[in-house]
Amino acid sequence: MTQVTERGTPLSAAPRAGVRRRSPAAAACVVGGAVAAGLGLGFLAVLVIVLWISSPYPDSGPGGALHLAAGLWLLAHGTELVRYDTLSGIPAPVGMTPLLLVALPVLLMRRAARLGSAAEEDDEEVLPAAAVFSAVLCGYLAVGALATVYAAGGPMPADPISAAWHIPLVAVLAAAGGVWGARGRPLGPLPSWIPRGVRKAVVRPRYALALRAGAGGSLVLLGGGALVVGASLAWHGAEVQASFLSLTGVWSGRFAVLLLALTLIPNAMVWGAAYALGPGFALGSHVTATPLGFPGAPGLPRFPLLAALPAEGAGSPLTWAAAGVPVLAGLAVGWFAVRRAREVSSGETALTAALGAVVCGLTMAGLAAASAGPLGSRQLSEFGPVWWTTGVAAFAWTAVLAVPVAVAVHAWRTRPAIGPGGLDADEAVAVDDRWHDSGVREVRWAALRKAAGALVPEMTAPVPVPPAVPAVPVVPVPVAAPAVPGRRAVTVVSGLDLDPGLLAPKPVAPAEPVSAPLAPPVVGARVLARRKPPPE
């Protein structure tokens, strides 16, 4: 006979019911990942179709535009494309990823993971984080595989090997960030397969401070890079305008060039930061632009951002001024690495600042690697900053400046408190004790009475204190022995000499009246009648 639960469901069917309840949620997560990928593809397809319709040379047809949109979507994930229609006939790789396009798939994937981790109703069962992550990732990668196959028939197909690891990398990072944000951004506990020493070390406050300090230094470097690029664009304004107008004469083409320049602005910020750090960025196989000099690159294509390159020749004080950007970044890392607590030692603060410099170096190395890539073959095979030199330079600049700054700020914040008159805390306490001496109290009381006027009455005569009443000695009460028939009861008290005069009450002299002026009557006071206590 089959056993039945309280709700009337057979026990053999109870686990299957839980699986059935979870299956629609998992399917919804898979669909959410596919929709996230489809929205990114659709946005780029609409943009490319609009540009194709407005172009005066729509000879490729809508199929070519859609193939190009799929290629751009793959390029937004870092996938390397291959261009076959070149003047030399040699296929040219296109591997420079516009960093602004990366934000589109990351935001959509993160949103899909967050929606999959949230329950629409209170009684709805929420899938585990691993299940949501896997389901969303499967839906996204399925659409990515179809887009890779579809783009292979277009003018710029994707490299299959590059697509095989770039698309999963972006999807995994974005989905993990979405699930982590939906769970409330917990910092632990870490998985049990991680060594215990590592799990205990990660939860220390120094690592959170190091991440904050490294992020602050990276933001300062990126902001400084944007300032360097903006100043160079303003300095070479005429060359930038001439380059922009010479590319095309129709408004649709100029609009496309403007959109491309806008998507490459984050890349230009990273390049400007690498330029300020010292290693600079490559503009070909043997050409590098640094603050110390720029030999020139005659084979560069016409583009507004490339027209803002520094002048050929040795560096000048104007280019050397870019070194102020990493200096500010080092100061920022040192400032954010100091804890508010006073019990932290200076050695701990220095270690936190050094870890913040490591985080800043790793962040800049990753951004340099993402912003660089080939734009062709031969001379354009190397384009952008070298990731490892940029990371080492960012770490060296920030570590040299952040550690002493952090120690100095820590010493300033933990200095002894200074009291009035330039005294430290102990001397200030001693002065405060002397201020409450008896003589000082009398002077303060006189000043207060003088300022209060008639509110504080002045005592004309001291109030006499009545003499103390002598204490009556306690006389032990003799305890009579029990009466015995035929004998007389005798009470014996030994060791006590009674004086009858001590038991008599002493007269107390009446207290003399106090001749003191009364305080002026208080206007508006309410007098309450005294109530008699209730009889017992």
Short mmCIF file of all heavy atoms in Angstrom, two decimals, residues 420-472:
data_model
loop_
_atom_site.label_atom_id
_atom_site.label_comp_id
_atom_site.label_asym_id
_atom_site.label_seq_id
_atom_site.Cartn_x
_atom_site.Cartn_y
_atom_site.Cartn_z
N PRO A 420 43.45 72.05 25.31
CA PRO A 420 43.57 73.51 25.25
C PRO A 420 44.97 73.96 25.66
O PRO A 420 45.59 73.41 26.55
CB PRO A 420 42.50 74.00 26.24
CG PRO A 420 42.29 72.85 27.17
CD PRO A 420 42.49 71.62 26.35
N GLY A 421 45.46 74.96 24.98
CA GLY A 421 46.78 75.50 25.29
C GLY A 421 47.92 74.65 24.79
O GLY A 421 49.03 74.78 25.29
N GLY A 422 47.67 73.77 23.81
CA GLY A 422 48.75 72.95 23.26
C GLY A 422 49.15 71.80 24.15
O GLY A 422 50.26 71.30 24.05
N LEU A 423 48.28 71.37 25.08
CA LEU A 423 48.60 70.28 26.00
C LEU A 423 48.08 68.97 25.43
O LEU A 423 47.09 68.94 24.70
CB LEU A 423 47.96 70.54 27.37
CG LEU A 423 48.34 71.87 28.05
CD1 LEU A 423 47.56 72.01 29.33
CD2 LEU A 423 49.84 71.93 28.31
N ASP A 424 48.74 67.88 25.79
CA ASP A 424 48.24 66.59 25.36
C ASP A 424 47.10 66.15 26.27
O ASP A 424 46.63 66.90 27.13
CB ASP A 424 49.36 65.56 25.33
CG ASP A 424 50.03 65.40 26.69
OD1 ASP A 424 49.54 66.02 27.65
OD2 ASP A 424 51.03 64.67 26.78
N ALA A 425 46.66 64.93 26.12
CA ALA A 425 45.47 64.47 26.84
C ALA A 425 45.72 64.41 28.35
O ALA A 425 44.87 64.83 29.14
CB ALA A 425 45.05 63.10 26.31
N ASP A 426 46.89 63.89 28.81
CA ASP A 426 47.15 63.76 30.24
C ASP A 426 47.26 65.13 30.92
O ASP A 426 46.71 65.35 32.00
CB ASP A 426 48.44 62.97 30.46
CG ASP A 426 48.32 61.55 29.91
OD1 ASP A 426 47.17 61.05 29.83
OD2 ASP A 426 49.36 60.96 29.58
N GLU A 427 47.97 66.05 30.27
CA GLU A 427 48.09 67.39 30.86
C GLU A 427 46.74 68.10 30.90
O GLU A 427 46.45 68.85 31.83
CB GLU A 427 49.10 68.20 30.07
CG GLU A 427 50.53 67.63 30.14
CD GLU A 427 51.49 68.44 29.29
OE1 GLU A 427 50.99 69.32 28.56
OE2 GLU A 427 52.69 68.19 29.35
N ALA A 428 45.90 67.86 29.89
CA ALA A 428 44.59 68.49 29.89
C ALA A 428 43.73 67.97 31.03
O ALA A 428 42.98 68.71 31.65
CB ALA A 428 43.89 68.24 28.54
N VAL A 429 43.85 66.69 31.38
CA VAL A 429 43.11 66.13 32.50
C VAL A 429 43.59 66.73 33.81
O VAL A 429 42.80 67.04 34.71
CB VAL A 429 43.26 64.59 32.50
CG1 VAL A 429 42.69 64.00 33.79
CG2 VAL A 429 42.54 64.00 31.30
N ALA A 430 44.92 66.94 33.94
CA ALA A 430 45.44 67.55 35.17
C ALA A 430 44.94 68.98 35.33
O ALA A 430 44.56 69.40 36.43
CB ALA A 430 46.97 67.52 35.14
N VAL A 431 44.91 69.73 34.23
CA VAL A 431 44.39 71.10 34.30
C VAL A 431 42.93 71.10 34.68
O VAL A 431 42.44 71.92 35.45
CB VAL A 431 44.63 71.81 32.95
CG1 VAL A 431 43.90 73.14 32.90
CG2 VAL A 431 46.11 72.01 32.72
N ASP A 432 42.17 70.13 34.16
CA ASP A 432 40.76 70.06 34.49
C ASP A 432 40.55 69.74 35.96
O ASP A 432 39.63 70.26 36.60
CB ASP A 432 40.10 68.99 33.62
CG ASP A 432 38.60 68.96 33.81
OD1 ASP A 432 37.94 69.91 33.35
OD2 ASP A 432 38.10 67.99 34.42
N ASP A 433 41.42 68.91 36.56
CA ASP A 433 41.31 68.61 37.99
C ASP A 433 41.62 69.84 38.83
O ASP A 433 40.97 70.09 39.84
CB ASP A 433 42.25 67.47 38.36
CG ASP A 433 41.80 66.15 37.72
OD1 ASP A 433 40.61 66.07 37.33
OD2 ASP A 433 42.65 65.24 37.58
N ARG A 434 42.63 70.62 38.45
CA ARG A 434 42.95 71.84 39.21
C ARG A 434 41.83 72.87 39.09
O ARG A 434 41.63 73.68 39.98
CB ARG A 434 44.27 72.44 38.69
CG ARG A 434 45.49 71.60 39.02
CD ARG A 434 46.76 72.40 38.84
NE ARG A 434 46.91 72.88 37.49
CZ ARG A 434 47.56 72.22 36.53
NH1 ARG A 434 48.10 71.02 36.79
NH2 ARG A 434 47.65 72.71 35.32
N TRP A 435 41.10 72.83 37.98
CA TRP A 435 40.02 73.81 37.79
C TRP A 435 38.88 73.58 38.77
O TRP A 435 38.12 74.48 39.06
CB TRP A 435 39.52 73.69 36.36
CG TRP A 435 38.57 74.77 35.98
CD1 TRP A 435 38.84 76.07 35.78
CD2 TRP A 435 37.16 74.61 35.75
NE1 TRP A 435 37.71 76.76 35.43
CE2 TRP A 435 36.66 75.88 35.41
CE3 TRP A 435 36.29 73.53 35.81
CZ2 TRP A 435 35.33 76.11 35.11
CZ3 TRP A 435 34.96 73.75 35.52
CH2 TRP A 435 34.49 75.03 35.17
N HIS A 436 38.77 72.33 39.31
CA HIS A 436 37.70 72.01 40.25
C HIS A 436 38.16 72.09 41.70
O HIS A 436 37.48 71.56 42.58
CB HIS A 436 37.18 70.59 39.97
CG HIS A 436 36.37 70.50 38.71
ND1 HIS A 436 35.08 70.95 38.63
CD2 HIS A 436 36.70 70.03 37.47
CE1 HIS A 436 34.62 70.75 37.41
NE2 HIS A 436 35.58 70.20 36.68
N ASP A 437 39.32 72.73 41.98
CA ASP A 437 39.76 72.90 43.37
C ASP A 437 38.79 73.78 44.13
O ASP A 437 37.94 74.49 43.56
CB ASP A 437 41.17 73.49 43.41
CG ASP A 437 42.21 72.46 42.97
OD1 ASP A 437 41.84 71.27 42.96
OD2 ASP A 437 43.33 72.86 42.63
N SER A 438 38.97 73.82 45.50
CA SER A 438 38.03 74.55 46.34
C SER A 438 38.09 76.05 46.08
O SER A 438 37.07 76.72 45.98
CB SER A 438 38.32 74.25 47.81
OG SER A 438 39.67 74.63 48.12
N GLY A 439 39.29 76.60 45.95
CA GLY A 439 39.38 78.03 45.73
C GLY A 439 38.77 78.45 44.41
O GLY A 439 38.07 79.47 44.32
N VAL A 440 38.99 77.67 43.41
CA VAL A 440 38.41 78.00 42.11
C VAL A 440 36.89 77.88 42.15
O VAL A 440 36.17 78.67 41.54
CB VAL A 440 39.00 77.07 41.03
CG1 VAL A 440 38.38 77.35 39.66
CG2 VAL A 440 40.51 77.23 40.97
N ARG A 441 36.39 76.95 42.92
CA ARG A 441 34.94 76.79 43.04
C ARG A 441 34.31 78.01 43.69
O ARG A 441 33.24 78.47 43.26
CB ARG A 441 34.62 75.54 43.88
CG ARG A 441 34.43 74.29 43.06
CD ARG A 441 33.64 73.24 43.83
NE ARG A 441 34.07 73.07 45.21
CZ ARG A 441 35.00 72.22 45.59
NH1 ARG A 441 35.60 71.47 44.70
NH2 ARG A 441 35.34 72.11 46.84
N GLU A 442 34.95 78.54 44.71
CA GLU A 442 34.39 79.73 45.39
C GLU A 442 34.37 80.93 44.45
O GLU A 442 33.41 81.70 44.43
CB GLU A 442 35.21 80.03 46.64
CG GLU A 442 35.10 78.94 47.70
CD GLU A 442 36.02 79.21 48.86
OE1 GLU A 442 36.75 80.22 48.80
OE2 GLU A 442 36.00 78.43 49.84
N VAL A 443 35.45 81.08 43.67
CA VAL A 443 35.48 82.21 42.73
C VAL A 443 34.38 82.06 41.68
O VAL A 443 33.68 83.01 41.33
CB VAL A 443 36.88 82.30 42.07
CG1 VAL A 443 36.88 83.37 40.99
CG2 VAL A 443 37.93 82.62 43.13
N ARG A 444 34.19 80.84 41.16
CA ARG A 444 33.15 80.62 40.15
C ARG A 444 31.76 80.84 40.75
O ARG A 444 30.87 81.36 40.10
CB ARG A 444 33.26 79.19 39.60
CG ARG A 444 34.45 78.99 38.68
CD ARG A 444 34.39 77.67 37.93
NE ARG A 444 34.56 76.52 38.81
CZ ARG A 444 33.59 75.69 39.14
NH1 ARG A 444 32.38 75.88 38.66
NH2 ARG A 444 33.82 74.66 39.95
N TRP A 445 31.56 80.42 42.00
CA TRP A 445 30.26 80.62 42.64
C TRP A 445 29.97 82.10 42.84
O TRP A 445 28.84 82.55 42.64
CB TRP A 445 30.22 79.87 43.97
CG TRP A 445 28.96 80.11 44.74
CD1 TRP A 445 28.82 80.86 45.85
CD2 TRP A 445 27.68 79.61 44.41
NE1 TRP A 445 27.53 80.86 46.29
CE2 TRP A 445 26.79 80.10 45.40
CE3 TRP A 445 27.18 78.80 43.41
CZ2 TRP A 445 25.44 79.80 45.40
CZ3 TRP A 445 25.83 78.50 43.40
CH2 TRP A 445 24.98 79.00 44.39
N ALA A 446 30.98 82.88 43.23
CA ALA A 446 30.78 84.32 43.39
C ALA A 446 30.44 84.98 42.06
O ALA A 446 29.55 85.84 41.97
CB ALA A 446 32.03 84.96 44.00
N ALA A 447 31.11 84.57 41.00
CA ALA A 447 30.81 85.14 39.69
C ALA A 447 29.42 84.76 39.21
O ALA A 447 28.69 85.57 38.63
CB ALA A 447 31.87 84.69 38.67
N LEU A 448 29.01 83.54 39.52
CA LEU A 448 27.67 83.11 39.12
C LEU A 448 26.60 83.85 39.90
O LEU A 448 25.57 84.25 39.35
CB LEU A 448 27.56 81.60 39.35
CG LEU A 448 26.21 80.96 38.98
CD1 LEU A 448 25.92 81.12 37.50
CD2 LEU A 448 26.20 79.48 39.35
N ARG A 449 26.83 84.08 41.23
CA ARG A 449 25.85 84.81 42.05
C ARG A 449 25.74 86.26 41.60
O ARG A 449 24.66 86.84 41.58
CB ARG A 449 26.26 84.72 43.52
CG ARG A 449 25.26 85.35 44.47
CD ARG A 449 25.59 85.08 45.91
NE ARG A 449 26.90 85.62 46.27
CZ ARG A 449 27.95 84.87 46.56
NH1 ARG A 449 27.84 83.56 46.52
NH2 ARG A 449 29.11 85.42 46.88
N LYS A 450 26.88 86.86 41.22
CA LYS A 450 26.85 88.25 40.76
C LYS A 450 26.09 88.37 39.45
O LYS A 450 25.37 89.34 39.21
CB LYS A 450 28.28 88.75 40.60
CG LYS A 450 28.36 90.20 40.16
CD LYS A 450 29.81 90.64 40.08
CE LYS A 450 29.90 92.11 39.65
NZ LYS A 450 31.31 92.56 39.53
N ALA A 451 26.25 87.38 38.57
CA ALA A 451 25.56 87.45 37.29
C ALA A 451 24.08 87.13 37.43
O ALA A 451 23.25 87.66 36.69
CB ALA A 451 26.20 86.47 36.30
N ALA A 452 23.70 86.28 38.42
CA ALA A 452 22.30 85.91 38.58
C ALA A 452 21.49 86.99 39.26
O ALA A 452 20.28 87.05 39.11
CB ALA A 452 22.20 84.61 39.37
N GLY A 453 22.10 87.87 40.03
CA GLY A 453 21.37 88.95 40.67
C GLY A 453 20.54 88.46 41.83
O GLY A 453 21.02 87.79 42.74
N ALA A 454 19.24 88.79 41.81
CA ALA A 454 18.34 88.46 42.92
C ALA A 454 17.86 87.01 42.88
O ALA A 454 17.16 86.58 43.79
CB ALA A 454 17.12 89.39 42.90
N LEU A 455 18.17 86.29 41.82
CA LEU A 455 17.72 84.90 41.75
C LEU A 455 18.41 84.02 42.77
O LEU A 455 17.86 83.05 43.25
CB LEU A 455 17.94 84.34 40.34
CG LEU A 455 17.11 85.00 39.23
CD1 LEU A 455 17.46 84.38 37.90
CD2 LEU A 455 15.63 84.84 39.51
N VAL A 456 19.68 84.35 43.12
CA VAL A 456 20.43 83.58 44.10
C VAL A 456 20.59 84.44 45.35
O VAL A 456 21.28 85.46 45.33
CB VAL A 456 21.81 83.18 43.56
CG1 VAL A 456 22.56 82.35 44.60
CG2 VAL A 456 21.64 82.40 42.27
N PRO A 457 19.92 84.11 46.48
CA PRO A 457 20.02 84.95 47.69
C PRO A 457 21.40 84.86 48.30
O PRO A 457 22.08 83.85 48.21
CB PRO A 457 18.95 84.36 48.61
CG PRO A 457 18.83 82.94 48.15
CD PRO A 457 19.05 82.95 46.68
N GLU A 458 21.80 85.99 48.93
CA GLU A 458 23.12 86.05 49.58
C GLU A 458 22.95 85.78 51.07
O GLU A 458 22.11 86.38 51.74
CB GLU A 458 23.72 87.43 49.38
CG GLU A 458 25.13 87.54 49.94
CD GLU A 458 25.76 88.89 49.62
OE1 GLU A 458 25.07 89.70 48.99
OE2 GLU A 458 26.90 89.11 50.02
N MET A 459 23.72 84.88 51.59
CA MET A 459 23.61 84.46 52.99
C MET A 459 24.31 85.50 53.86
O MET A 459 25.51 85.75 53.70
CB MET A 459 24.24 83.08 53.19
CG MET A 459 23.70 82.01 52.22
SD MET A 459 21.95 81.68 52.39
CE MET A 459 21.94 80.94 54.01
N THR A 460 23.53 86.13 54.83
CA THR A 460 24.11 87.14 55.71
C THR A 460 24.71 86.55 56.95
O THR A 460 25.62 87.10 57.55
CB THR A 460 23.02 88.16 56.11
OG1 THR A 460 21.95 87.44 56.73
CG2 THR A 460 22.50 88.86 54.87
N ALA A 461 24.17 85.43 57.40
CA ALA A 461 24.68 84.79 58.63
C ALA A 461 24.67 83.29 58.42
O ALA A 461 23.74 82.75 57.80
CB ALA A 461 23.82 85.17 59.85
N PRO A 462 25.66 82.67 58.96
CA PRO A 462 25.67 81.21 58.79
C PRO A 462 24.56 80.57 59.60
O PRO A 462 24.15 81.06 60.64
CB PRO A 462 27.05 80.81 59.31
CG PRO A 462 27.44 81.90 60.24
CD PRO A 462 26.82 83.16 59.70
N VAL A 463 24.04 79.52 59.08
CA VAL A 463 22.97 78.78 59.75
C VAL A 463 23.60 77.92 60.83
O VAL A 463 24.47 77.10 60.54
CB VAL A 463 22.21 77.91 58.74
CG1 VAL A 463 21.10 77.12 59.44
CG2 VAL A 463 21.62 78.79 57.65
N PRO A 464 23.17 78.14 62.15
CA PRO A 464 23.77 77.31 63.21
C PRO A 464 23.32 75.87 63.10
O PRO A 464 22.18 75.58 62.74
CB PRO A 464 23.26 77.95 64.50
CG PRO A 464 21.97 78.59 64.10
CD PRO A 464 22.16 79.07 62.69
N VAL A 465 24.21 75.04 63.40
CA VAL A 465 23.93 73.60 63.37
C VAL A 465 23.62 73.15 64.79
O VAL A 465 24.39 73.45 65.71
CB VAL A 465 25.15 72.83 62.81
CG1 VAL A 465 24.84 71.33 62.79
CG2 VAL A 465 25.50 73.35 61.44
N PRO A 466 22.50 72.51 65.03
CA PRO A 466 22.17 72.07 66.40
C PRO A 466 23.18 71.06 66.89
O PRO A 466 23.76 70.32 66.09
CB PRO A 466 20.77 71.45 66.24
CG PRO A 466 20.70 71.08 64.80
CD PRO A 466 21.49 72.12 64.06
N PRO A 467 23.42 71.07 68.23
CA PRO A 467 24.39 70.12 68.78
C PRO A 467 23.92 68.69 68.58
O PRO A 467 22.71 68.40 68.54
CB PRO A 467 24.47 70.48 70.27
CG PRO A 467 23.15 71.16 70.55
CD PRO A 467 22.78 71.90 69.29
N ALA A 468 24.88 67.89 68.46
CA ALA A 468 24.56 66.49 68.23
C ALA A 468 24.02 65.84 69.50
O ALA A 468 24.46 66.16 70.61
CB ALA A 468 25.82 65.74 67.78
N VAL A 469 23.05 65.02 69.35
CA VAL A 469 22.44 64.31 70.47
C VAL A 469 23.30 63.10 70.78
O VAL A 469 23.61 62.32 69.86
CB VAL A 469 21.00 63.89 70.13
CG1 VAL A 469 20.37 63.12 71.30
CG2 VAL A 469 20.18 65.11 69.78
N PRO A 470 23.75 62.97 72.04
CA PRO A 470 24.58 61.79 72.34
C PRO A 470 23.80 60.51 72.13
O PRO A 470 22.60 60.43 72.42
CB PRO A 470 24.95 61.98 73.82
CG PRO A 470 23.90 62.87 74.36
CD PRO A 470 23.50 63.80 73.25
N ALA A 471 24.48 59.58 71.67
CA ALA A 471 23.85 58.29 71.40
C ALA A 471 23.56 57.56 72.70
O ALA A 471 24.35 57.60 73.64
CB ALA A 471 24.76 57.42 70.53
N VAL A 472 22.39 56.99 72.77
CA VAL A 472 21.98 56.24 73.95
C VAL A 472 22.58 54.84 73.86
O VAL A 472 22.39 54.17 72.84
CB VAL A 472 20.45 56.16 74.06
CG1 VAL A 472 20.02 55.34 75.28
CG2 VAL A 472 19.87 57.56 74.10
#
